Amino acid sequence: MSDSLHRDFIKGTVEIMILGVLMNSDQHGLEIFESIANKSGQRLRVAEGSLYPALKRLEAAGLVESSWRQTARQRRARYYHISDAGKRELERRTRSWSNFAQAMRSVLGDNRAEESLPSGAGHAPIALA
Amino acid sequence: MRLLPSLEIAPAEIIREVEVELESHIQERADRLEESGMTPREARDKAEELFGDRGHYLLESAAIVLASRLHRAHRQRSRRLAALAAGVTLMASLAGTGAFIVHQERVADRSLAAVETELGTYRGGGGIPLAQEVRFVTVRGKVGNPRVWTLPRTAHVTLREIIYKSGGLIDGAQGQVTLTRYSAGRAQQDVEFSRKDWDSTHGDVELSGFATIEVH
């Protein structure tokens, strides 16, 4: 995979994860980071700062909206909210992602490569950015 | 009443806005680390480390916001100009000045097309290029086609070229140029050039991520 293709792939992955966690509630950047980490069982590692370009891309595309609010610690933070267009986009990307995963499984013959790895290696964190 | 929305976008304000958001994230993380037993200094250092390259994310995020606002402002301006021109053309053509209005509309179209071209790469699915790879140079004031240039970092650009490519001086312009560079949300330098300077020496424009050239 070329560097630019790999970078685009990562960008798309981070964006779909952000939309996914915002389906549950409005969150600020740090909460989004923690939601992704927790939901992935700490297996997907995103550099905290890398969320922001992704959030700005989503906002520029009208997929999320944002506003300043108080956090539980009485600090001001920008909270993100998924828009209706964002919900539709998430549905579309989820479908597309499932098709891609299914196609990969078919091509790879559903080999469970993980089983041949040393114990625990299959759960090593994947750094996304 | 302002008929056409201004195209002026303040890069420094956008950077500041994003900077405040990133700082809020780091501070919130530091608070949590401090509650887990770290000293304030350790917590702050760790929070910075976990965040990653702050300058990189700041510039990349600000570039996205800037491109998005420019695009939106241009679209709004173009729509209003089209509506205005449609109405005025009818009256003006009766008075024999329709050609002037049509000319104005074409100029606006060309300006929009230029920004569309610049921003096209951002919407092409590849995302925004890293801010470090480009420079945003706003040319405004008394030139024929005030605009924002997106220049590759490696491009060799002179003041003279950028002013001429922005439509050159309009009637009544003195040719005095004020160059302001922005870094971390602050105007770093304010350099004055007379027309003689930039026209005869081809003074190179040494710019970081954002800069504004105001032509008087």
Side-chain angles (χ1 to χ4, degrees), chain A residues 36-44 123:
Chain A
I36 291 173
N38 292 337
K39 279 174 181 284
S40 72
Q42 310 295 330
R43 276 181 288 183
L44 297 178
H123 296 294

Side-chain angles (χ1 to χ4, degrees), chain A residues 13-109:
Chain A
T13 309
V14 173
E15 287 170 11
I16 193 173
M17 288 192 297
I18 292 173
L19 291 175
V21 300
L22 290 178
M23 277 301 283
N24 300 324
S25 61
D26 296 356
Q27 298 182 14
H28 58 70
L30 182 55
E31 288 175 335
I32 293 171
F33 169 81
E34 290 185 332
S35 296
I36 291 173
N38 292 337
K39 279 174 181 284
S40 72
Q42 310 295 330
R43 276 181 288 183
L44 297 178
R45 191 176 288 163
V46 182
E48 294 188 14
S50 72
L51 283 181
Y52 288 91
L55 282 165
K56 300 305 173 193
R57 275 194 298 275
L58 290 170
E59 191 165 25
L63 303 179
V64 300
E65 294 152 358
S66 69
S67 58
W68 285 94
R69 297 183 212 164
Q70 294 280 348
T71 68
R73 287 179 169 75
Q74 301 306 310
R75 285 195 181 280
R76 286 183 76 233
R78 190 184 278 281
Y79 278 76
Y80 291 87
H81 167 84
I82 188 167
S83 66
D84 288 342
K87 289 174 187 168
R88 287 193 296 275
E89 182 64 12
L90 176 61
E91 202 176 306
R92 191 186 70 75
R93 289 199 201 185
T94 305
R95 241 188 344 260
S96 164
W97 183 261
S98 300
N99 288 340
F100 173 75
Q102 196 172 355
M104 285 298 285
R105 274 197 300 272
S106 302
V107 170
L108 299 176

Side-chain angles (χ1 to χ4, degrees), chain B residues 80-97:
Chain B
R80 289 199 200 170
L81 185 62
L84 184 67
V88 178
T89 300
L90 180 63
M91 293 182 287
S93 60
L94 294 173
T97 56

Side-chain angles (χ1 to χ4, degrees), chain A residues 7-8 11 28-31 33-34 46-57 59-60 68 71-73 75-78 80 129, chain B residues 17-18 20-22 24-25 27-29 31-32 35 47 50-52 56-57 60-62 64-65 68-69 125-130 133:
Chain A
R7 198 166 57 195
D8 291 345
K11 277 181 182 172
H28 58 70
L30 182 55
E31 288 175 335
F33 169 81
E34 290 185 332
V46 182
E48 294 188 14
S50 72
L51 283 181
Y52 288 91
L55 282 165
K56 300 305 173 193
R57 275 194 298 275
E59 191 165 25
W68 285 94
T71 68
R73 287 179 169 75
R75 285 195 181 280
R76 286 183 76 233
R78 190 184 278 281
Y80 291 87
Chain B
E17 198 179 296
V18 177
V20 168
E21 184 177 9
L22 303 193
S24 137
H25 176 119
Q27 196 51 54
E28 180 90 8
R29 168 64 80 200
D31 286 350
R32 295 183 190 194
E35 282 168 15
L50 290 170
F51 192 83
H56 170 97
Y57 296 128
E60 188 173 2
S61 302
I64 294 165
V65 176
S68 156
R69 289 192 191 166
I128 301 281
L130 295 181
E133 293 167 8

Side-chain angles (χ1 to χ4, degrees), chain B residues 161-174:
Chain B
E161 280 171 337
I162 208 163
I163 291 169
Y164 284 167
K165 285 184 179 175
S166 301
L169 300 185
I170 59 172
D171 288 346
Q174 300 296 312

